[in-house]
Amino acid sequence: MSDDGPTPAEGLALLIKETQAVLHQRMDERLRPLGLSVPQYACLQTLRTRPGITGSELARRVFVSRQSMNVLIQGLEKRGLIERSDQPGPRRERATVLTSAARDLLDQAQVRVGGLAESMTGDLATDDVAHLSALLTACRDALLAAAPSSTPSGTSTGTAR
């Protein structure tokens, strides 16, 4: 690696991370008046599209640990935004579904987040948005296919997260 700065690929990775951080901050600003955090919004949105999903799968889709998801679910349940089945399913997990109050709140949240997404892509042509989405999907899929915790030579990095 040279001392001239990041490679184009490294620069892209940093730009994606910076964009994600700004997007998360702006989403938080828009969701806070509704009493929602970004992970809570992501959880509710996932439950809307996948009712009955288990807590483990929900944690994977929302990018939080199972322990964090349990705390998040308990908070949403106390607020009356979700209901969990009394009957345990596979691996003793209880299915989770939205309440009508959650659906109403999620409708409001979607307007706020949707407006932000439109603002983010407003200067891009429709074809450019589709192309960017395809490129980011390819980047994500390449990362998912890559072996975790390995260097390009395939040796373990030994670094902890």
Side-chain angles (χ1 to χ4, degrees):
M1 186 159 86
S2 73
D3 292 333
D4 296 334
T7 66
E10 291 169 328
L12 178 60
L14 292 170
L15 179 60
I16 290 170
K17 179 60 181 160
E18 182 181 359
T19 303
Q20 183 274 332
V22 173
L23 177 61
H24 191 279
Q25 179 183 6
R26 295 295 181 260
M27 286 176 67
D28 185 61
E29 291 166 357
R30 293 198 177 200
L31 293 169
R32 192 178 308 125
L34 298 176
L36 289 176
S37 67
V38 175
Q40 288 171 328
Y41 170 75
C43 177
L44 294 175
Q45 189 70 286
T46 301
L47 286 170
R48 175 177 267 177
T49 59
R50 302 278 317 249
I53 190 172
T54 65
S56 295
E57 181 63 22
L58 192 54
R60 281 189 289 279
R61 290 176 180 267
V62 176
F63 306 106
V64 299
S65 68
R66 285 179 53 191
Q67 294 79 8
S68 294
M69 182 52 65
N70 284 334
V71 171
L72 196 147
I73 285 175
Q74 288 172 6
L76 293 172
E77 190 174 30
K78 285 179 185 172
R79 288 180 61 187
L81 298 175
I82 62 168
E83 294 175 344
R84 292 196 283 177
S85 170
D86 291 334
Q87 301 300 316
R91 294 181 294 264
R92 300 185 318 173
E93 293 192 55
R94 296 174 10 197
T96 306
V97 295
L98 297 178
T99 64
S100 60
R103 285 189 283 283
D104 293 342
L105 183 63
L106 192 51
D107 288 343
Q108 295 174 51
Q110 280 188 280
V111 169
R112 291 168 179 255
V113 172
L116 178 62
E118 290 298 323
S119 174
M120 180 179 71
T121 60
D123 290 340
L124 301 176
T126 302
D127 289 347
D128 290 340
V129 173
H131 190 225
L132 179 58
S133 181
L135 292 171
L136 288 173
T137 298
C139 290
R140 181 207 56 210
D141 293 348
L143 288 171
L144 288 171
S149 301
S150 65
T151 61
S153 64
T155 60
S156 175
T157 62
T159 56
R161 288 186 185 186

